[in-house]
Amino acid sequence: MSFKLINCRHRHCVFTIPEELRIFFRKDRNLLDCLFHAVRDVILQMFYKMNKSENFAPGFICVLHTFGRDLKWNPHIHVLLSEGGSGNITPWRHVKHFNYTLLRNSFRTALLNLMEKHIGASFKKTKAYIYKHCPDGFYVYAKPAISKSKDVIKYIGRYLGRPVIANSRIDNYDGQNVTFHYNRHEDDVLVTETISAVEFIKKLIVHIPDKHFKMTRYYGIYAKHHKNADNFIPAIPIQKRRFLSSLNNWSTSLLFDFGVDPLLCSCGHRMICLDICLNGSLPSDSLRKKRFDSS
């Protein structure tokens, strides 16, 4: 994912929804598409209003998280957004100021309209309630800007590739109960909970996405086959990509995590992986001989 980014400053934004709406997304997971579409529409509209004739297109990546720190159902969108966009005439325009009040109100309007269209007339009462009790729109949190490529990689690992709960937050398992901790979002107070293993598993599996549902989506100049995608300097130089890709190799990962190279023989030579056998099956003799000879 970091290979897609261009060499410019990026901003991390989080689009959240009121607690009253979360149950709708839990009962009907098809509504999660509305979250993506609402965020996409308000960001593109914000850049479009800067100069309608230029129709500036930023680059942004949206990632859906359905969990909060306490593992409860809390769908929200993390966005990595470029501080600028490519126009029809102007190659690039830097944008340092984002109107978050406009984003909040536009996001609320766009999402509620999409939900009403999907759910139907029965949603109108809830829609009126949200407008009345959320006059300032929904929350849009802005994180510090990201300018260096190494910070981009750290960001992607921390936010975009994040599991429901990290192993480091699981404090104990006694065979029946699981103890885990988290920092409460409202006041950053450390909270420790102990629940049964069955309840813990229930909290986890509710966040498993439906089959073929895309949790990460690319828009603007990061979208596939965008006309201006190849006109910018990448954030991660091509020369570094081979090395970074090698870090995902299984043997390299074991070496970094445990300090042991699984391919290093006791005689000092490196072993070569000839084949991987599943369920006790072996490749044919001719195929094994061919692979051995080629090695």
Side-chain angles (χ1 to χ4, degrees):
M1 189 182 296
S2 60
F3 295 166
K4 285 181 171 287
L5 302 182
I6 62 174
N7 188 21
C8 72
R9 289 170 63 91
H10 288 78
R11 194 167 299 197
H12 174 203
C13 304
V14 185
F15 290 76
T16 67
I17 61 176
E19 187 174 354
E20 294 82 354
L21 291 181
R22 296 174 188 172
I23 187 62
F24 291 94
F25 295 89
R26 178 68 184 91
K27 291 181 177 179
D28 185 0
R29 288 177 177 258
N30 291 325
L31 283 172
L32 293 173
D33 280 324
C34 295
L35 276 176
F36 280 106
H37 296 161
V39 172
R40 175 201 62 191
D41 292 345
V42 298
I43 291 179
L44 292 178
Q45 182 68 12
M46 180 181 66
F47 275 81
Y48 172 74
K49 288 183 176 180
M50 295 177 184
N51 190 317
K52 296 182 179 180
S53 61
E54 286 273 16
N55 191 19
F56 287 105
F60 57 108
I61 302 172
C62 296
V63 179
L64 172 66
H65 285 181
T66 58
F67 50 87
R69 296 179 180 179
D70 54 0
L71 305 185
K72 291 180 180 178
W73 179 260
N74 179 17
H76 55 281
I77 299 284
H78 286 261
V79 181
L80 186 61
L81 172 64
S82 64
E83 288 193 350
S86 173
N88 294 327
I89 302 175
T90 306
W92 185 258
R93 174 179 171 177
H94 293 281
V95 178
K96 294 184 179 180
H97 173 71
F98 291 89
N99 189 336
Y100 289 102
T101 301
L102 173 65
L103 282 177
R104 285 197 302 267
N105 292 319
S106 299
F107 177 55
R108 177 187 61 180
T109 301
L111 181 59
L112 292 178
N113 288 342
L114 288 171
M115 292 180 68
E116 182 181 4
K117 183 178 179 181
H118 183 90
I119 298 173
S122 61
F123 184 72
K124 287 186 177 181
K125 186 176 181 180
T126 302
K127 182 179 179 181
Y129 174 87
I130 295 297
Y131 271 117
K132 181 178 180 180
H133 292 85
C134 301
D136 296 327
F138 295 1
Y139 289 105
V140 179
Y141 298 100
K143 303 290 185 177
I146 308 172
S147 57
K148 297 180 180 179
S149 59
K150 64 178 182 179
D151 295 331
V152 171
I153 298 176
K154 289 181 180 178
Y155 168 88
I156 289 175
R158 181 175 181 181
Y159 290 101
L160 305 192
R162 179 182 176 183
V164 177
I165 183 172
N167 288 338
S168 58
R169 288 176 50 200
I170 302 176
D171 302 318
N172 184 51
Y173 171 59
D174 60 8
Q176 294 183 338
N177 299 309
V178 177
T179 301
F180 66 97
H181 69 272
Y182 61 91
N183 290 86
R184 194 162 53 201
H185 189 273
E186 295 80 5
D187 49 17
D188 204 36
V189 172
L190 180 65
V191 178
T192 301
E193 287 190 23
T194 299
I195 58 177
S196 68
V198 174
E199 289 299 318
F200 183 73
I201 293 173
K202 287 181 179 179
K203 285 179 175 287
L204 296 183
I205 63 177
V206 72
H207 303 294
I208 298 176
D210 292 342
K211 190 175 182 179
H212 302 309
F213 184 84
K214 297 185 181 299
M215 303 288 283
T216 302
R217 306 188 185 186
Y218 303 86
Y219 299 104
I221 58 178
Y222 291 150
K224 192 174 182 180
H225 304 311
H226 190 274
K227 61 180 181 180
N228 294 332
D230 297 329
N231 297 336
F232 304 102
I233 301 175
I236 309 298
I238 297 178
Q239 296 83 349
K240 292 184 179 180
R241 295 188 181 186
R242 179 173 296 181
F243 168 74
L244 294 175
S245 297
S246 69
L247 299 181
N248 292 327
N249 182 276
W250 67 275
S251 59
T252 307
S253 298
L254 288 174
L255 177 61
F256 280 138
D257 289 340
F258 302 104
V260 177
D261 187 348
L263 296 181
L264 184 63
C265 181
S266 58
C267 67
H269 294 84
R270 288 185 60 81
M271 295 181 286
I272 300 174
C273 180
L274 297 180
D275 213 325
I276 297 177
C277 302
L278 301 176
N279 300 326
S281 61
L282 295 174
S284 63
D285 292 337
S286 58
L287 181 60
R288 277 186 291 169
K289 184 177 186 303
K290 180 178 178 182
R291 292 183 178 179
F292 180 80
D293 293 341
S294 63
S295 301

